[in-house]
Amino acid sequence: AGNTLKEALLAASAKHFPPSGQIPEPAFFSLPQYNTWIELMYDQNQEDIMNYAHKAVENGFPQGVFMVDDNWQRYYGNFDFKSERFPDPKGMTDELHKMGFKVMLWVAPYVSPDSPEFRELEAKGYLLKDKNGRTAIIHWWNGYSACYDTTNPEAMNHLKQQLKANQEKYGIDGFKFDGGDVAYMTGEYAFHDKEADVNTFMEKWAEIGLSFPYNELRAAWKLGGQALVQRLGDKDYSWRATQLLIPDMTAAGLLGHYYTCPDMVGGGQFGAFLNVKKFDEELIVRSCQVHALMPMMQFSVAPWRILSKENVAICAKYAHLHQQMGDYILGLAKHASETGEPIVRHMEYQYPHQGFIDCKDQFMLGDKYLVAPMLTSGTSRTVMLPKGKWRDDRGKVFKGPKTITIDVPLERLPYFEKLAK
């Protein structure tokens, strides 16, 4: 439809993924997120979680949304904390709240076999069955588990009640809904909904997030335009992965996933962080800067553990920049929920037919800010400015269209504000 990317997007949005008028919890857009995955992996425990939170505050980072990742539960399908690792989970949540954090827990649709919950759910017919009518066992990244049949409304209502009971008991604000990927659905299944397939399974798993304003997903299907936080798939700790953030984020917006988090600062693929003797501090800082002017930014690997004092301070500075831009980003989120216009926009979307089709290293944050981060090692880059007047982060004014070469020391994130004509 139309003659521009914007016109095509708005036509596709209206037809296939119309905006819902709702957004996720506003805190996602104005405050950084902290996820314990890279630091703790499967060793989630109360002492180290509190240490992470206190270190974030001590190093000058704003309090935001705090996510406790996988393996806090007694086992999958049970929603109580492991008592040997969490002696006082309600006390932990209360302390995090007093510090100014909101608290989320990792959950997945899987259920540990041979558990009381497994027996109860199987008896009720709430577990996914294979084509022969037996309870299916899914091989996913952390083992072999039974799984909720997400196409069964009664099963999903039961799960929601379990999660709401967890919130009531422990004071939890919301959940990270992980798993549900079609990549692990390799068998032939007899879904409760006879018309369903594995894509429907993933869609129905993701839909549960709509019942919890504090939500995060990594996998979804046909849910563009909905009030769901969609995190990009886990990325490596590498320059190449950092260079993919802008094209991946602009693509997400064009698919209706406006409220997207660009994975984790430095990468969310935990294997890339194993056995690293010396971290590339420049890479971590530049990754942080890319996140700062995205809809959301999420830390997992702890900057204060792997960076020099000076570079930790730079990361804290950009976490505060994200906070300072929070009202503007929140306004863009509300605009997206009403119009279908993305928050992160491809340059070609905002400035059609000016030569930006292949531009992958800068983006528009709404219609006001052009962001041009460093995506390679070094301290210099070129920036393509569209028509109009632009004021950079140092206060210098340029008149476009023109291509400029700028110096970008490690502490600088170049961005340009569009001035009135």
Side-chain angles (χ1 to χ4, degrees), residues 218-397:
R218 196 197 67 260
W221 173 252
K222 288 188 175 179
L223 288 169
Q226 299 298 311
L228 297 169
V229 174
Q230 188 81 42
R231 182 173 60 84
L232 293 182
D234 300 3
K235 293 196 176 298
D236 286 334
Y237 152 66
S238 69
W239 283 106
R240 176 58 182 155
T242 303
Q243 291 155 13
L244 287 171
L245 291 174
I246 293 174
D248 282 3
M249 286 293 290
T250 52
L254 293 172
L255 292 168
H257 298 296
Y258 317 122
Y259 321 118
T260 298
C261 179
D263 193 33
M264 300 166 177
V265 171
Q269 183 60 261
F270 79 95
F273 287 89
L274 299 177
N275 305 314
V276 177
K277 291 184 171 61
K278 183 174 175 58
F279 283 92
D280 184 342
E281 298 199 17
E282 180 186 14
L283 168 57
I284 300 294
V285 170
R286 294 306 194 189
S287 173
C288 176
Q289 290 169 345
V290 177
H291 284 68
L293 293 181
M294 289 286 187
M296 302 175 194
M297 71 184 308
Q298 185 174 128
F299 293 92
S300 190
V301 65
W304 46 89
R305 177 175 68 84
I306 64 171
L307 301 180
S308 68
K309 186 177 180 180
E310 293 75 18
N311 287 340
V312 170
I314 294 174
C315 288
K317 167 187 171 182
Y318 284 103
H320 281 283
L321 175 63
H322 181 77
Q323 183 180 27
Q324 291 159 17
M325 296 287 277
D327 287 344
Y328 175 70
I329 297 173
L330 179 59
L332 292 175
K334 292 176 179 177
H335 179 75
S337 76
E338 296 162 357
T339 66
E341 284 210 87
I343 299 173
V344 174
R345 303 176 187 175
H346 196 288
M347 295 297 302
E348 180 68 23
Y349 178 95
Q350 197 64 35
Y351 293 98
H353 313 310
Q354 291 190 35
F356 289 110
I357 287 177
D358 295 320
C359 182
K360 299 176 182 177
D361 62 354
Q362 58 189 64
F363 64 94
M364 293 297 298
L365 180 61
D367 60 4
K368 187 176 180 180
Y369 292 101
L370 186 161
V371 187
M374 282 295 298
L375 303 173
T376 58
S377 179
T379 56
S380 176
R381 66 157 291 166
T382 60
V383 179
M384 294 174 62
L385 293 175
K387 294 176 183 177
K389 282 189 176 181
W390 300 88
R391 179 171 57 216
D392 73 6
D393 50 294
R394 293 174 167 177
K396 187 174 181 180
V397 176

Side-chain angles (χ1 to χ4, degrees), residues 54-231:
H54 283 291
K55 286 288 187 183
V57 176
E58 289 168 12
N59 283 279
F61 288 77
Q63 295 90 324
V65 178
F66 195 98
M67 301 182 188
V68 177
D69 216 277
D70 187 7
N71 213 27
W72 60 271
Q73 317 162 250
R74 290 168 61 191
Y75 43 81
Y76 300 117
N78 176 280
F79 298 102
D80 284 317
F81 284 83
K82 282 184 168 75
S83 58
E84 67 273 21
R85 294 186 180 185
F86 295 87
D88 184 11
K90 179 63 164 60
M92 177 188 75
T93 306
D94 288 345
E95 184 176 353
L96 287 169
H97 282 153
K98 287 178 184 176
M99 293 172 68
F101 292 100
K102 296 294 184 180
V103 184
M104 295 175 63
L105 297 177
W106 179 100
V107 295
Y110 308 115
V111 179
S112 295
D114 306 322
S115 66
E117 285 78 4
F118 173 88
R119 291 189 287 275
E120 176 192 359
L121 295 170
E122 187 178 48
K124 291 180 176 179
Y126 290 171
L127 296 178
L128 183 62
K129 292 180 172 61
D130 65 22
K131 64 177 181 178
N132 298 313
R134 294 181 299 231
T135 299
I137 298 297
I138 309 298
H139 183 199
W140 59 295
W141 69 81
N142 198 30
Y144 295 81
S145 301
C147 184
Y148 271 88
D149 184 343
T150 64
T151 73
N152 183 338
E154 289 186 8
M156 296 285 35
N157 185 61
H158 176 86
L159 177 56
K160 284 181 192 176
Q161 295 312 310
Q162 298 301 305
L163 295 176
K164 290 185 182 298
N166 170 282
Q167 288 185 298
E168 186 71 24
K169 185 173 182 179
Y170 298 114
I172 301 301
D173 297 291
F175 299 95
K176 170 182 174 177
F177 295 94
D178 211 349
D181 309 59
V182 294
Y184 303 110
M185 309 302 292
T186 56
E188 295 183 55
Y189 306 105
F191 294 99
H192 175 82
D193 179 350
K194 300 298 188 292
E195 303 298 318
D197 59 16
V198 292
N199 287 328
T200 316
F201 167 87
M202 184 167 63
E203 178 185 5
K204 295 303 179 182
W205 168 241
E207 271 185 3
I208 196 174
L210 294 172
S211 298
F212 301 89
Y214 282 99
N215 65 69
E216 185 193 88
L217 311 170
R218 196 197 67 260
W221 173 252
K222 288 188 175 179
L223 288 169
Q226 299 298 311
L228 297 169
V229 174
Q230 188 81 42
R231 182 173 60 84

